Amino acid sequence: MSDFPTTTSEKPKTNARFLLGLVALFLGELRDGLTMINMQSAFLIVSKHYSEKQAGILFFVFGMSQFLFQTPAGYIMDYTDRKVHWLALASVVTTALTLLTATTAKEYGENLGFMVFIKFLQGGVTALIPPGLNSITQGIVGSVGMTKQVSNNEMRNHFGTAIIVLTGSLIAFFTYPDIGILFIVSPIACVGVIYFLLKIRPEDIDHDAARGLKLTSDTPDDGKSVVSTQYKLTSPDGGAKLDNTPSFKFGFGQQNQETDAAVPHAATPFDVLRDTTLLTFIIIVFLFHTSNGTVLPLVMQTLAIGEGRTGILMSGLCIIVAQIFMVASAKICGDYSGKWGRKSLFLIGLFSVPVRCFILYVLSGIKNSQAETSVFLSVIILSTQILDGVGAGVFGTMYILVTSDISGGTGRFSLTLGLTTAAMSIGGTVSGYLGQALAQDLGYQKAFVILGVLSLVPALGYLVFMPETLSSAEKASNVQMTAIDEAAENEEGSDQKSKQPSFV
């Protein structure tokens, strides 16, 4: 029997991927904390009479905390073999903090200091969720399987978010103006996460694969090319498996030179930081979220403020519309980024933001000229969230895949993802306060045009400075895996058809 893994997944692995999709579905509300942070912002402004700047302060603290803890969180996920337990713990704690926010917030920000403390804790806890989910994903499917599985995760995640936010929005509509009860959706989602997460078997997660030591195509004795889905790490003499767990050595090149050519090693953190492509990508991620992070809450507030319970419902629909189109965007990224490469799709997502901001600039000017906002205009403003679905949907899938590409062979996937997600967090943090301050001091219309100009910088930067990160070998592997999956689906369909009774 060959020692090489085959492309046909064993049932336990198939079951693990299925469970992973259900975890992603319920993580729609919890994953990065931003969904409920946006809902919390609308809740605090409408029901608790917070000012835009007070809400912006909470965004700032939450994002700064995520920034500070994101890279250490990635390092923890690379280092530990108890990834499932860390992710479960983070889900429970962030849910508890969301409920604490809803139940203890006082009107006009009287206990703003306590709210700031809660947001600091919540930011630190949610920092564990993105590297936790994605390292578990890579540990189950390997880097070759990431394109399809990340797309599947993102689709389910956005669909779950849409369901959760729709539920919360309907609750808020019927309980207005005391809408705090909407946050009951958080513990419901958390129960689903924990239930399906703990059903994943520890042996289904290859922790070497999860760390991002590069996968290649193995060729067995019969000469047939087979895409490897797990690592085969052995000592140079073919003996016992080597310990490649990332250590606490942070210097440059601290590896055994005698075995470097034969054995993959986990790179040191400073080695990772010397990658100019990674540094360029981190800057672009930061600039994208600086310009884009606050657009959604500003649109939500534009629709919610002064419009009563209808405004609250329209505000919630902002997230729902975006999430629906994010599902489609994630699907497209999963289907084509492995064939076309990452760059062309990423650029579509990046350039959608300045287009969206320009449209919002025009629409907010029309809104300002009206004594009362018409339903038609509110619907048109709401429809701009389609572009949010394109931009954020493409970004949410592609930044994980690009990070996986860049970190291939380093053994530091979660650490690298922690760095890129930290850039996302600090960008969103700056954006959160900047956008709220611009809206309060200059008005929503000028805020949109300033953010639109800023959003051109990362789009042009990616166009000019970022190379294509998908290697030709990985592209060939993705094409091969797609062909095998299609053949398996066709065969399964034929089997099902042959089993159907004939009435001829």
Side-chain angles (χ1 to χ4, degrees):
M1 181 180 291
S2 173
D3 290 333
F4 292 88
T6 65
T7 50
T8 302
S9 300
E10 298 174 358
K11 287 186 178 180
K13 281 282 184 179
T14 303
N15 187 52
R17 290 195 293 269
F18 175 73
L19 292 171
L20 192 62
L22 293 175
V23 171
L25 178 72
F26 283 95
L27 269 177
E29 186 272 324
L30 301 170
R31 182 181 58 169
D32 56 11
L34 289 179
T35 301
M36 279 298 106
I37 285 292
N38 285 321
M39 293 297 286
Q40 287 170 30
S41 177
F43 161 69
L44 292 172
I45 291 174
V46 173
S47 288
K48 298 299 180 180
H49 311 296
Y50 273 52
S51 69
E52 284 89 346
K53 284 187 177 180
Q54 286 176 322
I57 289 172
L58 297 185
F59 259 103
F60 180 81
V61 171
F62 177 84
M64 279 301 297
S65 179
Q66 277 196 325
F67 168 71
L68 292 173
F69 290 102
Q70 203 78 68
T71 302
Y75 187 84
I76 289 171
M77 288 301 176
D78 273 334
Y79 189 80
T80 183
D81 287 349
R82 300 178 66 84
K83 297 175 176 61
V84 167
H85 296 91
W86 277 101
L87 182 56
L89 177 64
S91 300
V92 171
V93 175
T94 192
T95 298
L97 292 172
T98 294
L99 295 177
L100 194 61
T101 300
T103 56
T104 61
K106 294 183 178 180
E107 293 188 352
Y108 302 101
E110 290 182 10
N111 60 339
L112 184 62
F114 182 62
M115 290 296 104
V116 166
F117 176 68
I118 291 176
K119 293 306 112 184
F120 181 80
L121 292 180
Q122 192 165 22
V125 172
T126 56
L128 289 162
I129 294 177
L133 175 64
N134 288 294
S135 64
I136 292 171
T137 299
Q138 187 156 287
I140 291 174
V141 303
S143 65
V144 170
M146 281 291 277
T147 298
K148 183 175 182 179
Q149 189 62 45
V150 168
S151 171
N152 183 57
N153 286 356
E154 290 296 308
M155 289 170 60
R156 291 175 180 269
N157 184 271
H158 295 312
F159 183 66
T161 300
I163 293 173
I164 291 166
V165 174
L166 176 60
T167 304
S169 297
L170 290 174
I171 293 172
F173 178 79
F174 289 110
T175 60
Y176 182 87
D178 187 12
I179 64 175
I181 190 65
L182 75 87
F183 295 106
I184 191 66
V185 298
S186 291
I188 295 173
C190 185
V191 169
V193 170
I194 301 303
Y195 177 76
F196 291 111
L197 188 62
L198 296 181
K199 291 179 78 68
I200 297 175
R201 303 184 313 163
E203 57 266 31
D204 288 334
I205 303 173
D206 184 329
H207 293 283
D208 290 322
R211 292 174 184 123
L213 292 168
K214 189 173 179 62
L215 289 176
T216 58
S217 292
D218 294 327
T219 304
D221 296 337
D222 61 5
K224 295 180 180 178
S225 178
V226 178
V227 179
S228 172
T229 56
Q230 295 189 37
Y231 292 112
K232 286 290 186 181
L233 299 180
T234 58
S235 63
D237 61 0
K241 182 178 176 182
L242 294 174
D243 181 10
N244 280 306
T245 303
S247 69
F248 288 99
K249 296 177 181 179
F250 293 96
F252 294 103
Q254 299 177 9
Q255 297 174 358
N256 188 338
Q257 299 300 320
E258 295 179 0
T259 61
D260 274 351
V263 181
H265 288 73
T268 63
F270 285 117
D271 280 329
V272 172
L273 288 171
R274 290 193 294 183
D275 187 338
T276 54
T277 302
L278 173 61
L279 295 177
T280 301
F281 187 55
I282 287 173
I283 293 171
I284 290 170
V285 168
F286 166 75
L287 293 173
F288 172 80
H289 274 272
T290 298
S291 58
N292 183 64
T294 193
V295 179
L296 170 60
L298 290 184
V299 174
M300 291 175 67
Q301 290 162 208
T302 298
L303 292 170
I305 295 175
E307 302 297 333
R309 67 172 66 207
T310 301
I312 288 294
L313 182 60
M314 294 291 287
S315 179
L317 287 174
C318 282
I319 298 176
I320 296 166
V321 170
Q323 295 297 325
I324 290 172
F325 281 88
M326 285 178 197
V327 172
S329 298
K331 171 66 173 173
I332 292 171
C333 289
D335 288 346
Y336 297 105
S337 67
K339 302 174 184 177
W340 299 348
R342 317 299 194 196
K343 188 167 183 176
S344 56
L345 287 169
F346 218 134
L347 287 172
I348 292 173
L350 293 174
F351 276 103
S352 69
V353 181
V355 173
R356 176 184 172 213
C357 287
F358 175 74
I359 295 173
L360 285 168
Y361 164 75
V362 174
L363 293 177
S364 58
I366 297 174
K367 184 178 187 296
N368 291 339
S369 65
Q370 296 181 351
E372 184 176 345
T373 305
S374 65
V375 175
F376 177 75
L377 180 59
S378 295
V379 171
I380 296 297
I381 294 174
L382 177 64
S383 68
T384 63
Q385 287 304 104
I386 294 173
L387 288 173
D388 185 30
V390 174
V394 169
F395 186 93
T397 301
M398 297 304 297
Y399 103 93
I400 298 171
L401 296 179
V402 171
T403 301
S404 180
D405 294 341
I406 294 172
S407 65
T410 65
R412 298 287 187 177
F413 168 64
S414 292
L415 175 65
T416 309
L417 187 64
L419 290 167
T420 56
T421 310
M424 183 173 70
S425 298
I426 191 65
T429 299
V430 173
S431 183
Y433 186 77
L434 175 65
Q436 297 291 353
L438 288 172
Q440 183 169 330
D441 295 340
L442 301 178
Y444 285 83
Q445 186 179 23
K446 289 184 179 179
F448 286 131
V449 74
I450 292 171
L451 293 169
V453 172
L454 287 176
S455 67
L456 284 171
V457 179
L460 294 173
Y462 201 97
L463 176 66
V464 175
F465 297 110
M466 273 294 289
E468 174 56 61
T469 57
L470 182 68
S471 68
S472 57
E474 288 176 307
K475 185 181 292 186
S477 295
N478 285 324
V479 172
Q480 182 182 358
M481 290 290 287
T482 300
I484 291 169
D485 289 338
E486 289 176 353
E489 289 174 2
N490 291 334
E491 183 178 351
E492 183 180 352
S494 298
D495 290 342
Q496 292 295 330
K497 186 175 181 180
S498 65
K499 292 177 182 178
Q500 292 179 357
S502 175
F503 295 99
V504 178

